[in-house]
């Protein structure tokens, strides 16, 4: 008999794409309609982390900034609290002893995630009857990367505007040359979104 988890995932994969196509369009529209509130909450969290790092540097408790990392949390898709962690780190990365982090509530991006899972479960009932809650967690974990990709696109859009005008938040003497802006799962693999060259916009 085939492993039940494999059966669930085999049945779910084509449903994932169809469901996400619909929900991603609704999410983009929602963010556009609420752009002021969405951007404002993001910038509050962003500046909170960067300004905290500057205070630590003024007290000689943090070296020059080398990494600015945006992380989705593994637990978020299970707790339905969609927080993005923003870390400002020197060259020691996670070993930086002066933690400088803030959190942005990315509910605007993930607002339909829970409903998507409910709809996917409903559509799979005839193939996988009486799905247990722990089995639904397989769906959450496998479906989440689609939403993480939506978050990544949003962050790139916001950060592109910020890196074009770095004077409003990036003091040259406080940052390493070629500092990096990263995105990924907290304590996991991260992608480089931008490299901040000295005296120039990020690329």
């Amino acid at each position: 008999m085939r492993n039940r988890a494999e059966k669930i995932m085999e049945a779910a994969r084509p449903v994932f794409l169809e469901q996400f196509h619909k929900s991603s369009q609704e999410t983009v529209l929602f963010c556009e309609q609420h752009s002021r509130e969405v951007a404002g909450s993001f910038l509050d969290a962003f500046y909170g982390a960067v300004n905290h790092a500057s205070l630590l540097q003024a007290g000689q408790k943090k070296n020059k900034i080398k990494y600015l990392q945006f992380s989705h949390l593994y637990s978020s898709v299970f707790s339905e609290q969609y927080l993005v962690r923003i870390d400002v780190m020197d060259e020691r990365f996670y070993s930086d002893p002066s933690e400088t982090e803030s959190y942005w509530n990315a509910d605007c991006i993930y607002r339909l995630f829970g409903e998507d899972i409910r709809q996917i479960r409903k559509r799979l009932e005839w193939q996988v009857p009486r799905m247990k809650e722990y089995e639904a967690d397989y769906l959450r974990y496998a479906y989440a990367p689609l939403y993480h990709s939506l978050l990544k696109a949003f962050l790139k859009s916001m950060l592109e505007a910020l890196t074009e005008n770095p004077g409003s938040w990036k003091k040259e003497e406080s940052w390493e040359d070629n500092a990096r802006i990263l995105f990924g799962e907290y304590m996991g693999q991260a992608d480089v979104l931008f490299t901040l060259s000295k005296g120039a916009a990020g690329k």
Side-chain angles (χ1 to χ4, degrees), residues 52 56 62 85 87-88 94 96-101 186:
H52 185 202
L56 290 173
K62 183 180 282 291
R85 177 170 170 139
D87 285 281
V88 184
Y94 285 132
D96 183 349
S98 299
E99 286 194 6
T100 309
E101 83 281 347
Y186 182 61

Side-chain angles (χ1 to χ4, degrees), residues 165-180:
N165 183 28
S168 64
W169 55 275
K170 181 176 175 282
K171 298 177 182 178
E172 292 291 352
E173 66 274 13
S174 301
W175 290 70
E176 293 273 9
D177 192 16
N178 295 323
R180 295 178 177 182

